[in-house]
């Protein structure tokens, strides 16, 4: 809790400091800005993107803005700002910026930008007119809201899914408050003949035949819902055209109590089903349904309809055990229900499953009665195949369960508001805020925010946005029940096309850990890269020192030894053949040692890299590689006298060495093409082989330290790496490194 409080305090201080800076900048609109130290302070303290534009081009960019665009600050300075804006948004951004600079707009505006890697990022921006270095300029302040936009899109999809589920239900679904209809789905058209919009605000009296029916169903429904969550009953209803229908009326209260008589009611038109049941009785009486006679537990007679249910012929069933067709799990239920019906204790048909001849499951509705048969008691069965009705009923149950489960499956806190009071919540509020769902009903959402000011601010922004559009999304500080501060992604949508009675649904996603993790990952990544760059620099210095000592000291000793042996062999008399041979062998051994020493210190640090430049060193390395591996190397350097600062030359040379090592180990290539060029953008090194081609999984393999080293060296210099491979085509490694300003000046001189 201490760390959370500290983070909150730090964030508040940073926000206050930012407001102070913005005020200074606004006051300076007609003055020269203070020292560049102000911008350096913004650079180090701000977590938002800060930049200054003059003549449509960047003159100052802080690290945060450069990071989410994927450029270095040096690359952005001088670049045309509109080149980063998505082409489809440029005219709108230009107009919004003009409106804000002229005071016609105060809220930030959102738009898409194109990062260096081609990815699309969403930005929210404000601009202020200032003076910078004696000239009129624009101060831009922005934040990357890509993740928020994605979350907003996901919420819209979820809302669309919930709306689709409601509309997919084939029955009439209406919502009531104080016996007035507040919403209805399109199913009311099919069931009652009413358009959904025509029912809003009406009483459900229009669905019933008389005032008496209306009062009767209302009395039963609300009395039941006072005791339990649901109500279900068959009841006569009336369509808009006056025709009568039979409906299955199912209702559920909204919330734990029947507050404001808020309920959801489903009307299923069961007229056809009721008629089918009546028709079944008629067919049973006239032996037109499935009819069979069972005596002593075996079929004595079966008509064609009954035999058809089970997939047998009538002749096959006669003499068969009647319970043999019944599903094993339903046999005891069938025995019990049949006995109750035969004993006069049950009048309604009973349902059970049978197993057909080919192993399928069918549902049967059955009535039984006692009759005489061949002078003895027997059971007359009348049945109907209701498999399709059962499947439809199960489908409806699943759909209703799915609709209820969607809300509970959302892992975030979901709250329904009406006139800024909570009318429903899901169980996610306990995970996010520590409140139990039942504790929040009827409360204001003030309990979810840290201060009254925060509560008023989010409400003002939220309802203002929802007056104009369906959804709203923003990151905002919130508070748990125990007082702990958290960061939440607040997403809201109005209920209906208009913001009536401030009826909305809000989702709160706790993003506290994610925000901390993102910041920590970024800090760790920067620290690791700095450490890597430092270690590479130290290693190169140590390589240079060792190579120099080997060349200057050990090399001189071997040279002196070789000279001495040459002088010695000249003084040995010719007849001393054995001494001549031994001394000659020693001279050869010293020569081999000198060659080995040369190879070692050249591998450590080619002297030509320091004295003759990168182009010569790369050419020498390519030649050595060709001699050592037999792989032909084609080299192109432009310009031929290419020279760079020593540290950059070393980095490119090591990247080239690592690339050649990977080719020798893995590529199975016979030739490579190397291209080292310098252009207005910087320096580019391209190495392509004709080998088997690198696979995608090899590029992301954790143990690919060679590739990792290439990437880290390139990123240290603000460059980009592209490694592509294809079977039958080979592999290409391309690095692009922008040159620093002093290098450009040095090359011109």
């Amino acid at each position: 809790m201490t760390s959370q409080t500290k983070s909150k305090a730090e964030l508040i201080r940073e926000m206050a400091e930012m407001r102070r800076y913005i005020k200074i900048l606004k006051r300076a609109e007609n003055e020269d800005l203070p020292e560049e130290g102000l911008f350096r302070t913004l650079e180090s303290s701000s977590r938002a993107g800060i930049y200054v534009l003059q003549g449509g081009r960047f003159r100052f960019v802080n690290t945060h803005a450069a990071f989410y665009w994927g450029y270095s600050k040096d690359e952005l300075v001088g670049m045309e700002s509109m080149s980063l804006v998505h082409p489809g948004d440029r005219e709108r951004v230009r107009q919004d910026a003009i409106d804000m600079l002229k005071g016609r707009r105060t809220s930030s505006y959102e738009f898409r930008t194109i990062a260096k890697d081609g990815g699309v990022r969403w930005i929210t921006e404000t601009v202020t007119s200032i003076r910078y270095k004696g000239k009129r300029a624009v101060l831009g302040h922005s934040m990357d809201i890509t993740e928020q936009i994605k979350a907003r899109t996901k919420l819209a999809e979820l809302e669309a899914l919930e709306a689709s589920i409601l509309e997919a239900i084939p029955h009439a679904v209406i919502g009531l408050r104080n016996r007035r209809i507040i919403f209805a789905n399109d199913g009311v058209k099919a069931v009652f003949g009413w358009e959904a919009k025509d029912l809003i605000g009406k009483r459900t009296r229009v669905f019933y035949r008389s005032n008496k029916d209306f009062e009767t169903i209302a009395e039963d429904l609300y009395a039941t819902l006072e005791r339990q969550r649901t109500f279900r009953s068959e009841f006569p209803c009336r369509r808009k055209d006056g025709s009568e229908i039979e409906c299955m009326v199912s209702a559920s209260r909204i919330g734990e109590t029947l507050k404001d008589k808020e309920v959801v009611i489903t009307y299923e038109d069961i007229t056809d089903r009721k008629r089918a049941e009546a028709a079944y009785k008629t067919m049973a009486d006239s032996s037109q349904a499935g009819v069979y006679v069972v005596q002593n537990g075996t079929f004595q007679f079966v008509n064609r309809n009954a035999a058809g249910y089970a997939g047998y012929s009538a002749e096959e069933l006669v003499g068969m055990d009647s319970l043999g067709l019944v599903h094993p799990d339903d046999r005891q239920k069938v025995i019990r229900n049949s006995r109750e019906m035969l004993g006069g204790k049950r009048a309604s048909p009973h349902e059970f499953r049978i197993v057909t001849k080919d192993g399928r499951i069918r549902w049967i509705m059955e009535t039984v009665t006692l009759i005489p048969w061949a002078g003895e008691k027997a059971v007359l069965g009348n049945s109907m195949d209701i498999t399709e009705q059962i499947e439809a009923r199960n489908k409806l149950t699943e759909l209703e369960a799915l609709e209820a489960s969607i809300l509970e499956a959302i892992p975030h806190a979901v709250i329904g508001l009406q006139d800024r009071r909570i009318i429903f919540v899901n169980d996610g509020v306990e995970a996010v805020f520590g409140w139990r769902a039942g504790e929040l009903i009827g409360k204001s959402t003030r309990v979810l925010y840290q201060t009254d000011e925060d509560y008023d601010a989010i409400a003002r922004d939220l309802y203002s946005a929802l007056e104009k559009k369906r959804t709203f999304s923003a990151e905002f500080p919130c508070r748990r029940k125990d007082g702990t501060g958290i960061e939440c992604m607040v997403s809201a949508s109005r209920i209906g096309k208009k913001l009536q009675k401030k009826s909305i649904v809000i989702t709160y996603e706790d993003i506290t850990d994610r925000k901390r993790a993102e910041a920590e990952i970024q800090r760790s990544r920067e620290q690791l890269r700095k450490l890597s760059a430092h270690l590479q620099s130290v290693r190169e210095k140590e390589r240079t020192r060792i190579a120099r000592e080997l060349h200057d000291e050990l090399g001189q000793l071997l040279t002196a030894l070789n000279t001495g042996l040459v002088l010695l062999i000249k003084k040995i008399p010719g007849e001393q053949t054995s001494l001549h041979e031994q001394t000659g062998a020693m001279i050869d051994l010293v020569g081999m040692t000198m060659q080995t020493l040369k190879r070692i210190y050249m591998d450590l640090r080619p002297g030509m890299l320091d004295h003759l430049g990168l182009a010569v060193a790369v050419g020498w390395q390519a030649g050595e590689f060709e001699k050592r591996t037999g792989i032909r190397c084609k080299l192109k350097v432009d310009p031929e006298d290419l020279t760079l600062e020593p540290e950059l030359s070393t980095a490119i040379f090591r990247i080239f060495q690592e690339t050649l090592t990977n080719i020798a180990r893995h590529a199975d290539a016979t030739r490579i093409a190397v291209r080292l060029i310098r252009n207005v953008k910087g320096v580019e090194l391209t190495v392509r082989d004709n080998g088997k081609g690198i696979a995608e999984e090899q590029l992301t393999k954790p143990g690919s330290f060679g590739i990792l080293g290439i990437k880290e060296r390139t990123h240290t210099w603000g460059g980009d790496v592209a490694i592509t491979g294809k079977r039958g085509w080979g592999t290409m490694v391309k690095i692009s490194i922008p040159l620093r300003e002093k290098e450009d000046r040095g090359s011109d001189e």
Side-chain angles (χ1 to χ4, degrees):
M1 183 172 178
T2 303
S3 61
Q4 291 175 341
T5 304
K6 180 180 179 182
S7 298
K8 171 187 170 185
E10 289 176 351
L11 182 57
I12 292 174
R13 285 198 299 273
E14 289 175 3
M15 292 174 67
E17 194 68 7
M18 178 60 69
R19 286 194 291 270
R20 186 175 69 83
Y21 289 145
I22 296 300
K23 288 179 180 179
I24 293 173
L25 294 174
K26 287 182 177 179
R27 288 200 303 270
E29 183 176 356
N30 297 316
E31 304 172 0
D32 286 338
L33 280 171
E35 294 293 330
E36 283 290 321
L38 176 59
F39 283 95
R40 287 195 294 272
T41 302
L42 288 174
E43 164 71 14
S44 61
S45 64
S46 177
R47 295 184 181 179
I50 305 292
Y51 35 87
V52 175
L53 305 176
Q54 275 183 336
R57 297 183 180 274
F58 290 106
R59 299 306 178 195
F60 167 84
V61 183
N62 75 340
T63 302
H64 194 87
F67 174 75
Y68 57 64
W69 280 321
Y71 291 88
S72 67
K73 292 184 292 182
D74 292 339
E75 286 178 298
L76 287 172
V77 172
M79 185 183 293
E80 186 177 355
S81 62
M82 275 296 173
S83 66
L84 297 180
V85 180
H86 191 284
D89 293 352
R90 287 175 182 170
E91 286 303 316
R92 179 172 57 81
V93 170
R94 184 177 288 108
Q95 187 59 53
D96 287 343
I98 291 172
D99 289 346
M100 183 167 286
L101 291 172
K102 291 186 176 182
R104 296 196 296 263
R105 180 189 182 100
T106 58
S107 61
S108 63
Y109 46 91
E110 300 173 358
F111 58 96
R112 295 167 292 176
T113 64
I114 307 298
K116 185 176 182 179
D117 61 3
V120 176
R121 308 294 296 174
W122 277 90
I123 301 298
T124 182
E125 179 184 73
T126 61
V127 292
T128 305
S129 179
I130 63 171
R131 292 188 69 82
Y132 180 76
K133 294 185 178 181
K135 296 180 180 180
R136 193 171 187 83
V138 173
L139 172 67
H141 180 220
S142 65
M143 296 186 72
D144 185 344
I145 59 170
T146 305
E147 295 303 319
Q148 294 92 314
I149 292 294
K150 290 180 180 177
R152 182 191 308 168
T153 303
K154 190 65 178 178
L155 180 61
E157 292 173 353
L158 188 58
E159 290 169 348
L161 174 61
E162 291 179 358
S164 298
I165 289 176
L166 186 64
E167 296 305 321
I169 298 173
H171 314 309
V173 182
I174 64 170
L176 295 184
R177 182 186 297 114
N178 291 325
R179 302 178 71 173
R180 295 282 180 180
I181 299 171
I182 59 175
F183 72 84
N185 74 338
D186 291 341
V188 296
K189 175 77 172 178
V191 176
F192 294 109
W194 288 89
E195 296 290 343
K197 61 183 177 62
D198 295 334
L199 290 173
I200 304 303
K202 283 185 167 58
R203 296 165 68 88
T204 54
R205 167 68 181 84
V206 297
F207 298 150
Y208 301 102
R209 301 176 303 180
S210 64
N211 287 329
K212 181 180 179 181
D213 282 355
F214 172 57
E215 295 299 337
T216 299
I217 187 69
E219 181 179 351
D220 291 345
L221 185 149
Y222 289 112
T224 302
L225 294 183
E226 286 286 356
R227 303 188 305 271
Q228 62 190 48
R229 291 194 64 88
T230 60
F231 167 87
R232 188 174 176 88
S233 176
E234 295 181 4
F235 206 83
C237 293
R238 182 182 66 178
R239 288 176 55 84
K240 184 179 181 181
D241 61 7
S243 59
E244 295 185 5
I245 57 174
E246 286 286 326
C247 284
M248 175 62 72
V249 183
S250 303
S252 175
R253 67 187 183 215
I254 299 175
E256 294 298 321
T257 61
L258 200 58
K259 180 180 175 62
D260 295 332
K261 288 186 170 58
E262 293 181 338
V263 298
V264 175
I265 306 180
T266 300
Y267 295 85
E268 177 187 359
D269 185 354
I270 60 171
T271 307
D272 291 339
R273 193 181 79 187
K274 296 294 288 184
R275 290 171 181 166
E277 292 173 357
Y280 161 73
K281 293 177 182 178
T282 301
M283 288 188 293
D285 292 340
S286 61
S287 301
Q288 295 300 310
V291 179
Y292 36 88
V293 176
V294 177
Q295 198 172 57
N296 298 324
T298 60
F299 288 112
Q300 301 300 313
F301 167 82
V302 181
N303 77 344
R304 185 180 57 188
N305 292 333
Y309 302 157
Y312 291 89
S313 67
E315 292 75 16
E316 288 178 302
L317 287 174
V318 172
M320 185 182 293
D321 181 4
S322 62
L323 286 177
L325 293 181
V326 179
H327 191 285
D329 293 343
D330 291 353
R331 288 174 184 171
Q332 290 302 317
K333 179 179 68 173
V334 169
I335 292 172
R336 182 178 64 253
N337 290 336
S338 297
R339 286 175 177 173
E340 290 178 354
M341 187 171 289
L342 294 172
K345 298 178 181 179
R346 179 188 181 98
S348 60
H350 61 101
E351 300 171 356
F352 58 91
R353 293 167 292 176
I354 65 171
V355 182
T356 65
K357 185 176 182 179
D358 59 4
R360 292 179 294 114
I361 304 296
R362 306 293 294 177
W363 279 89
I364 299 298
M365 177 186 288
E366 179 186 66
T367 62
V368 292
T369 187
L370 288 173
I371 62 169
W373 180 267
E376 297 181 8
K377 284 185 178 182
V379 175
L380 173 66
N382 290 271
S383 64
M384 179 178 290
D385 185 343
I386 59 169
T387 304
E388 292 183 0
Q389 293 93 313
I390 292 293
E391 290 176 349
R393 187 166 67 195
N394 291 341
K395 190 67 176 178
L396 177 59
T397 301
E398 292 172 1
L399 190 60
E400 292 171 343
L402 174 62
E403 185 178 1
S405 298
I406 285 176
L407 189 64
E408 297 305 327
I410 299 173
H412 315 309
V414 181
I415 293 177
L417 293 184
Q418 190 174 83
D419 291 327
R420 300 178 71 170
R421 293 285 173 179
I422 299 172
I423 59 174
F424 72 83
V425 296
N426 73 339
D427 291 339
V429 295
E430 186 162 5
V432 176
F433 293 110
W435 291 89
R436 288 195 297 273
E439 296 176 313
L440 290 175
I441 301 300
K443 282 186 167 59
S444 164
T445 54
R446 168 64 184 88
V447 297
L448 307 180
Y449 300 102
Q450 298 177 4
T451 64
D452 289 339
E453 291 76 12
D454 284 350
Y455 171 62
D456 291 335
I458 188 68
R460 182 174 59 253
D461 293 345
L462 186 150
Y463 288 111
S464 175
L466 294 182
E467 286 285 357
K468 300 187 287 288
K469 57 184 181 180
R470 289 194 64 88
T471 61
F472 167 86
S473 182
E475 292 183 6
F476 206 83
C478 294
R479 181 181 66 178
R480 287 176 56 83
K481 184 179 180 180
D482 60 9
T484 304
I486 58 174
E487 283 288 325
C488 284
M489 174 60 71
V490 182
S491 303
S493 175
R494 66 188 183 213
I495 299 175
K497 293 184 177 180
K498 294 183 179 180
L499 197 60
Q500 295 178 345
K501 295 186 178 181
K502 291 187 170 59
S503 297
I504 61 174
V505 176
I506 307 180
T507 299
Y508 296 85
E509 177 186 359
D510 185 354
I511 61 172
T512 308
D513 292 339
R514 189 184 77 192
K515 299 289 284 185
R516 291 175 184 158
E518 289 174 352
E520 184 59 32
I521 289 172
Q522 182 58 31
R523 285 195 296 270
S524 298
R525 184 178 291 127
E526 291 299 324
Q527 290 172 354
L528 287 174
R529 284 188 170 165
K530 289 178 180 178
L531 177 60
S532 175
H534 173 70
L535 291 177
Q536 289 174 6
S537 176
V538 170
R539 185 168 61 180
E540 286 298 335
K541 290 178 181 179
E542 186 64 14
R543 282 171 173 259
T544 301
R545 184 188 65 79
I546 294 173
R548 185 178 296 113
E549 289 182 0
L550 288 174
H551 179 273
D552 294 347
E553 296 181 15
L554 190 56
Q556 290 177 7
L557 292 174
L558 288 172
T559 300
L561 178 60
N562 186 67
T563 302
L565 289 172
V566 171
L567 294 175
L568 176 62
I569 198 171
K570 289 180 179 180
K571 294 180 180 181
I572 297 174
E575 62 274 12
Q576 298 290 331
T577 307
S578 177
L579 288 176
H580 265 281
E581 292 176 353
Q582 291 180 15
T583 306
M586 292 171 65
I587 292 172
D588 292 341
L589 184 59
V590 170
M592 292 171 58
T593 304
M594 292 176 69
Q595 289 297 322
T596 301
L597 178 64
K598 180 180 179 181
R599 178 177 55 79
I600 291 172
Y601 71 66
M602 287 293 284
D603 286 342
L604 285 171
R605 178 75 178 184
M608 62 188 70
L609 183 61
D610 298 321
H611 303 300
L612 301 178
L614 177 63
V616 175
V618 167
W620 168 80
Q621 185 66 64
E624 289 295 308
F625 178 77
E626 184 170 331
K627 287 190 293 184
R628 188 172 68 255
T629 63
I631 299 174
R632 287 181 294 144
C633 298
K634 181 181 179 181
L635 175 65
K636 178 182 179 181
V637 180
D638 184 19
E640 295 181 355
D641 59 346
L642 173 64
T643 57
L644 303 169
E645 66 171 280
E647 291 83 358
L648 179 55
S649 294
T650 299
I652 294 175
F653 182 75
R654 293 303 183 197
I655 290 171
F656 181 56
Q657 282 186 317
E658 187 62 50
T659 303
L660 293 181
T661 299
N662 286 342
I663 291 173
R665 289 179 178 174
H666 309 295
D668 293 337
T670 59
R671 65 179 182 275
I672 62 173
V674 182
R675 187 167 174 259
L676 178 62
I677 65 170
R678 174 175 177 165
N679 52 35
V680 292
K681 294 182 179 179
V683 61
E684 291 184 359
L685 172 65
T686 305
V687 182
R688 177 177 174 181
D689 65 60
N690 66 341
K692 59 186 179 182
I694 191 168
E696 184 66 29
E697 58 269 18
Q698 291 176 293
L699 292 173
T700 57
K701 186 178 179 182
S704 299
F705 296 111
I707 294 175
L708 181 61
I710 291 173
K711 291 180 178 178
E712 285 302 315
R713 287 182 187 273
T714 305
H715 290 159
T716 298
W717 288 88
D720 295 316
V721 179
I723 303 176
T724 55
K726 184 178 180 182
R727 184 178 296 277
W729 180 84
T731 302
M732 183 174 72
V733 178
K734 181 178 181 179
I735 67 164
S736 302
I737 298 177
L739 295 178
R740 297 175 179 173
E741 188 176 349
K742 64 180 183 178
E743 288 182 335
D744 293 335
R745 289 199 303 267
S747 63
D748 294 339
E749 293 171 359

